[in-house]
């Protein structure tokens, strides 16, 4: 309880220092309150832009809040552009935790001291982030490996900070004019799930294993092998990768790597993951990518850190491919129709109006080199258009949008003249042919082949049953018709009896009344 109070006090102090209250109050259209707060905290300097102040505040609050800011930077459908751009600059700059704690975590998870598990274990970490840190080691058979160890006490720290974030989200909804539209409680809930997924390193190992299997025969991407005998929820051991960080362009040029080819390869890797596999690395920033200079794999991408991956269903892939191709062909009407057909836009939306809005967003960027356009700005304008037409932004596409922005950043570094449209269009057309054409049909037959061995042997019996039923059907129909005719006759006789009885009764009553009146009249005379 004391820790929560101290943490809340620190959050409040940081918020006041960087004027986060001023950011919230400025949207309320209450200048009097804003002036009162400024006079109360006259000593602070809040002249910096609001995005800068928010980024600095999150950095002061520590790694969990930094990660939260990183997640917010991907929600450009919710965040104002100046804040989203600034939050995208957030980086994990976390000092390593003591090696003794890492060794203690390894012993607890794997049941052995690293000196007995490995032939060598480097006690100096080579990388440190908010969730885990990495040590190099060597297995007893001489294989070089990287050991990733979860930072101790993370679960408790995350749960306490998330609880405070949920309280803050409630305040934002009540105090900020845009609070309800930004859905702060939903964003915090999404972040909570995201962080707890990262706490399970076995999930990361499984993600890496899946991605490695998808690209096992690829000449473009290398994924490290996981050593499952040394993996647990808080420690994983993987093949050590050797390469040059993709951000070190000078080293890549010096090694003779073709940057233009590397740039186009990155685009193909992205579209292969998304449209072929529906399973993609969703944290492809430069810190997680190396380039191999080994002669056997020269110039290939090396992927690292698989804590965040995205998945797409066949429906998502089909929908996205149709939209991408429509964009590349500048068929904005088809884009608008696809949004309405899928239910992402309301049914009452006018196709021509949505078409015109999408055209205004995308037409200016065609036939221009990557250095002259920003996909971030294009996405922002598309999100603004989406809000105008009440288009729902699908949760499963948020990571895809983030990854596309990462690809943009890599493309700018490697080849500013890269034309993403021309690079991606042939691949998408080939993919559509494989899905819709003869090759796609044959591939689906192969996928269903495992079910045929159960169905084919049953075909003779099913045919016999069907023919037998057909042979018996005329007689069954005749019997049924006879029963219906007999029932109808009985019904007719019953109705006839009721009608004649009713008529006779009514006639008798009328005759009795006439005779009674005639008898009274005779007696009166």
């Amino acid at each position: 309880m004391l820790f929560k109070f101290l943490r809340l006090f620190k959050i409040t102090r940081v918020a006041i220092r960087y004027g986060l209250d001023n950011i919230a109050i400025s949207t309320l259209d209450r200048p009097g309150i804003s002036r009162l707060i400024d006079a109360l905290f006259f000593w602070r300097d809040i002249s910096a832009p609001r995005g800068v102040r928010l980024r600095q505040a999150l950095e002061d609050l520590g790694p969990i809040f930094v990660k939260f800011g990183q997640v917010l930077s991907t929600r450009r459908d919710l965040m104002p552009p100046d804040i989203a751009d600034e939050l995208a600059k957030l980086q994990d700059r976390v000092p390593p935790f003591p090696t003794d704690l890492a060794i203690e975590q390894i012993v607890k998870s794997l049941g052995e001291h690293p000196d007995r598990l490995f032939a060598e274990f480097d006690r100096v970490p080579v990388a440190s982030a908010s969730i885990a840190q990495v040590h190099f080691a060597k297995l007893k058979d001489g294989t070089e490996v990287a050991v990733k160890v979860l930072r101790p006490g993370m679960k408790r720290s995350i749960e306490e900070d998330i609880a405070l974030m949920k309280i803050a989200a409630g305040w934002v909804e009540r105090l900020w004019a845009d609070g309800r539209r930004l859905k702060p409680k939903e964003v915090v809930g999404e972040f909570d799930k995201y962080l707890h997924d990262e706490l399970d390193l076995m999930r990361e190992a499984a993600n890496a294993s899946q991605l490695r299997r998808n690209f096992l025969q690829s000449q473009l991407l290398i994924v490290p092998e996981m050593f499952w005998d040394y993996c647990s929820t808080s420690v994983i051991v993987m093949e050590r990768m050797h390469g040059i960080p993709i951000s070190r362009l000078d080293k890549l040029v010096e090694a003779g790597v073709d940057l233009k080819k590397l740039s186009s390869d990155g685009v193909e890797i992205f579209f292969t993951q998304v449209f072929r596999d529906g399973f993609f690395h969703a944290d492809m920033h430069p810190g997680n990518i190396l380039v191999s200079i080994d002669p056997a794999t020269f110039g290939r991408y090396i992927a690292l850190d698989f804590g965040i991956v995205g998945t797409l269903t066949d429906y998502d892939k089909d929908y996205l491919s149709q939209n991408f191709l429509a964009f590349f062909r500048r068929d904005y009407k088809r884009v608008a129709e696809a949004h309405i057909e899928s239910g992402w836009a309301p049914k009452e939306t006018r196709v021509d109006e949505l078409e015109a809005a999408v055209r205004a967003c995308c037409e200016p960027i065609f036939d221009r080199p990557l250095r002259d356009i920003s996909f971030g700005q294009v996405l922002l304008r598309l999100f603004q258009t989406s809000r105008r037409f009440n288009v729902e932004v699908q949760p499963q596409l948020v990571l895809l949008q983030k990854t596309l922005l990462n690809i943009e950043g890599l493309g700018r570094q490697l080849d500013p003249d890269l034309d993403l449209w021309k690079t991606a269009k042939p691949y998408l057309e080939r993919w559509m042919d494989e899905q819709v054409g003869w090759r796609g049909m044959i591939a689906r037959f192969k996928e269903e082949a495992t079910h045929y061995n159960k169905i084919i042997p049953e075909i003779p019996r099913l045919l016999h049953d069907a023919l037998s039923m057909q042979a018996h059907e005329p007689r069954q129909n005749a019997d049924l018709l006879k029963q219906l005719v007999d029932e109808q006759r009985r019904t007719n006789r019953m109705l006839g009896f009721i009608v004649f009885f009713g008529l006779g009764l009514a006639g008798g009553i009328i005759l009795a009344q006439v005779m009674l009146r005639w008898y009274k009249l005779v007696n009166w005379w």
Side-chain angles (χ1 to χ4, degrees), residues 304-509:
L304 303 173
D305 195 347
F306 310 94
I308 310 173
V309 298
T311 57
L312 297 171
T313 65
D314 288 340
Y315 176 84
D316 292 330
K317 290 191 290 183
D318 181 62
Y319 171 81
L320 285 169
S321 62
Q322 289 189 43
N323 272 275
F324 270 111
L325 278 176
F327 274 123
F328 294 150
R329 294 168 178 167
R330 306 191 190 189
D331 186 356
Y332 305 115
K333 182 179 180 180
R334 179 60 199 146
V335 174
E337 289 173 344
H339 274 73
I340 297 170
E341 289 169 5
S342 67
W344 290 14
K347 290 183 178 180
E348 63 271 15
T349 303
R350 286 185 52 175
V351 174
D352 58 333
E353 291 182 355
L354 184 55
E355 175 191 357
V358 174
R359 181 185 295 111
C361 290
C362 300
E363 190 65 22
I365 70 173
F366 279 102
D367 298 326
R368 298 174 65 184
L370 195 58
R371 66 185 173 196
D372 295 336
I373 61 176
S374 168
F375 285 103
Q377 292 302 315
V378 174
L379 281 175
L380 174 63
R381 293 183 66 184
L382 284 172
F383 287 143
Q384 290 171 339
T385 300
S386 298
R387 285 198 293 270
R388 175 184 159 197
F389 288 92
N390 295 318
V391 174
E392 295 183 12
V393 178
Q394 303 300 303
Q396 69 270 29
L397 301 184
V398 171
L399 286 177
L400 187 66
Q401 295 157 1
K402 172 182 180 292
T403 306
L404 186 57
L405 290 172
N406 286 335
I407 294 295
E408 174 191 8
L410 283 175
R412 287 185 189 280
Q413 284 187 326
L414 299 172
D415 180 14
D417 294 319
L418 171 71
D419 189 334
L420 180 64
W421 314 117
K422 290 180 181 177
T423 305
K425 184 180 176 182
Y427 179 85
L428 279 175
E429 288 177 334
R430 185 172 70 250
W431 183 85
M432 285 292 286
D433 179 59
E434 290 173 354
Q435 296 299 307
V436 180
W438 283 102
R439 284 182 289 181
M441 186 176 69
I442 292 170
R444 281 188 285 276
F445 268 121
K446 289 180 179 178
E447 288 176 4
E448 295 293 328
T450 55
H451 303 290
Y452 298 158
N453 63 345
K454 296 180 181 179
I455 297 173
I456 291 174
E458 295 179 358
I459 290 177
R461 179 176 57 80
L462 294 172
L463 283 172
H464 178 268
D465 292 346
L467 292 171
S468 298
M469 288 179 64
Q470 196 169 12
H472 292 300
E473 190 174 348
R475 191 173 68 186
Q476 290 174 349
N477 287 344
D479 293 341
L480 181 61
L481 183 61
K482 185 176 181 303
Q483 291 176 13
L484 289 172
V485 170
D486 291 343
E487 185 65 30
Q488 186 65 43
R489 285 173 178 169
R490 282 195 296 270
T491 303
N492 290 342
R493 284 197 296 270
M494 180 64 71
L495 287 172
F497 173 76
I498 292 172
V499 169
F500 287 127
F501 178 77
L503 289 174
L505 181 63
I509 292 172

Side-chain angles (χ1 to χ4, degrees), residues 25 132 157 176 196 228 271 309 367 374 392 406:
I25 295 298
S157 177
W176 199 3
H196 278 87
W228 292 105
F271 282 101
V309 298
D367 298 326
S374 168
E392 295 183 12
N406 286 335

